[in-house]
Amino acid sequence: MKSVAVVLAVLLAYQCLAVRPALRHQGRPGLGGSWSMSQTFKPSKVNDRDKCKFCVDFAHSAIQTIGEAIVEGGLTKGCQELCSIVANKTGSEAVGLACDGLCVLVGFDEFVHAFEKADVDPIYYCELLKQCPIVDNGDATITNLTVTPKSGPQGDFFVDVEYETKNGTGTGELLIYVDAPDGYPLGASFLKEPLDPGQYGVNFTLHAVPDPGCVAACESFQAGVYNVTMHVCNGQCMSHWPHSKIYDKKMTNFTITGPPPPDMKPWL
Ligand SMILES: *[C@@H]1O[C@H](CO)[C@@H](O)[C@H](O)[C@H]1NC(C)=O
Ligand SMILES: *[C@@H]1O[C@H](CO)[C@@H](O)[C@H](O)[C@H]1NC(C)=O
Ligand SMILES: *[C@@H]1O[C@H](CO)[C@@H](O)[C@H](O)[C@H]1NC(C)=O
Ligand SMILES: *[C@@H]1O[C@H](CO)[C@@H](O)[C@H](O)[C@H]1NC(C)=O
Ligand SMILES: *[C@@H]1O[C@H](CO)[C@@H](O)[C@H](O)[C@H]1NC(C)=O
Ligand SMILES: *[C@@H]1O[C@H](CO)[C@@H](O)[C@H](O)[C@H]1NC(C)=O
């Protein structure tokens, strides 16, 4: 009972403090572009405030930093000290709070041990910490992958994915990856919590307009063919850790014809 209360309290604090982009993370760092996601067929039992999502969100924002904090002496000093280093390094009080809440909940030794075991795989990390369920006989097949519009000027492109699972799925990831003609990585990953057997749909929006605030190594969204690869995975896609597997992947493409017409300039 106590631990549930701790998690809830920390969750609330975290959600109040967190800046939106940090919380509604786009999964892995290093994948570019501006993305959003909406579920078209919603899983019934997934709760926005559940502990698995909380843990994975936290791990995505802090897992690199935990390693550095351990190296810098956080190992001998317990949750509070370790997490204050993490808070300092990430510059986020919210991440520090989440760190503290999770660390106290699972125990310091387990917190650090799981980190060392999972390396930088947030989902496996949270499975080791028993915050995310493990399901190994799951499956998923992508039944439909379409991009709308198929061809058009810079602007929003909607990637619609439908998939079906016969046995249900484990805690995993939806990873979308786009090969752009200019070679910059473009993609996003989203946590997929365990699902019951059934059919599910997700609609990703790619805001395919150059970011005016971007100074270096920027996606230009130049005219050309963009190849889209969609993965549905158990665990983190391409992870070599246990409970990880690519259930299915499919490819499609869309074409950017050029800059938007002048009367349609994006407001961003
Ligand atoms: C956090 O950073 C500040 C300034 O960089 C430093 O003065 C402070 O000691 C740091 N706190 C911890 C716990 O590392
Ligand atoms: C579904 O689960 C059963 C029982 O564990 C297993 O034998 C079967 O291979 C699984 N099906 C798929 C598609 O993975
Ligand atoms: C695939 O998805 C598109 C867009 O949502 C829809 O128009 C189309 O009917 C779907 N195709 C199948 C076979 O379900
Ligand atoms: C997209 O795929 C096609 C064929 O699969 C390939 O010829 C082309 O080079 C790819 N484009 C990019 C940008 O990767
Ligand atoms: C995807 O979502 C966008 C915005 O929510 C909506 O305008 C669009 O019609 C959706 N596309 C499909 C194929 O569901
Ligand atoms: C784009 O995808 C279509 C099928 O959706 C395929 O016929 C075509 O060859 C692809 N084009 C490239 C350049 O890969």
Side-chain angles (χ1 to χ4, degrees):
M1 272 328 280
K2 185 165 167 253
S3 64
V4 170
V6 168
V7 165
L8 271 180
V10 170
L11 252 170
L12 285 171
Y14 186 61
Q15 293 190 335
C16 292
L17 281 169
V19 262
R20 283 221 113 206
L23 184 67
R24 291 254 153 232
H25 69 94
Q26 293 175 7
R28 316 164 174 217
L31 291 174
S34 169
W35 293 85
S36 54
M37 184 194 81
S38 65
Q39 314 256 11
T40 40
F41 305 115
K42 272 201 187 214
S44 54
K45 60 180 181 187
V46 171
N47 177 347
D48 208 36
R49 285 205 170 154
D50 77 80
K51 59 182 187 175
C52 176
K53 183 168 177 356
F54 172 70
C55 181
V56 173
D57 277 348
F58 160 70
H60 267 297
S61 48
I63 204 156
Q64 307 274 3
T65 319
I66 296 173
E68 295 168 22
I70 290 172
V71 169
E72 287 178 22
L75 191 50
T76 50
K77 294 173 187 157
C79 288
Q80 216 182 350
E81 186 64 21
L82 178 71
C83 291
S84 76
I85 300 176
V86 168
N88 231 9
K89 283 186 164 295
T90 55
S92 164
E93 197 184 333
V95 169
L97 261 175
C99 177
D100 219 38
L102 199 56
C103 184
V104 168
L105 175 67
V106 301
F108 182 68
D109 290 346
E110 192 48 37
F111 188 78
V112 169
H113 181 66
F115 168 79
E116 286 168 345
K117 236 175 129 179
D119 198 355
V120 289
D121 178 338
I123 294 177
Y124 185 48
Y125 180 68
C126 292
E127 287 177 343
L128 288 173
L129 293 183
K130 299 190 173 62
Q131 303 299 297
C132 294
I134 294 171
V135 179
D136 275 339
N137 68 341
D139 68 285
T141 307
I142 298 172
T143 52
N144 193 2
L145 175 65
T146 47
V147 183
T148 325
K150 179 79 184 154
S151 171
Q154 290 173 357
D156 282 354
F157 286 82
F158 302 108
V159 183
D160 203 66
V161 187
E162 286 162 30
Y163 60 98
E164 171 168 51
T165 169
K166 294 201 162 66
N167 277 359
T169 71
T171 306
E173 184 182 52
L174 297 171
L175 173 68
I176 184 164
Y177 194 87
V178 180
D179 288 308
D182 65 9
Y184 286 118
L186 198 56
S189 72
F190 296 88
L191 178 68
K192 177 183 63 56
E193 301 203 52
L195 299 171
D196 289 330
Q199 294 194 319
Y200 299 91
V202 175
N203 182 350
F204 296 93
T205 307
L206 169 63
H207 308 289
V209 285
D211 175 2
C214 179
V215 282
C218 309
E219 173 58 49
S220 61
F221 294 107
Q222 70 185 52
V225 175
Y226 288 68
N227 292 332
V228 177
T229 313
M230 183 70 216
H231 303 80
V232 181
C233 304
N234 189 26
Q236 178 161 288
C237 296
M238 285 82 122
S239 172
H240 55 284
W241 297 118
H243 320 300
S244 304
K245 172 184 177 183
I246 297 176
Y247 289 136
D248 198 11
K249 81 173 178 186
K250 268 206 170 47
M251 285 185 74
T252 185
N253 62 57
F254 66 92
T255 302
I256 291 184
T257 52
D263 57 330
M264 253 181 62
K265 276 282 181 230
W267 35 266
L268 216 148

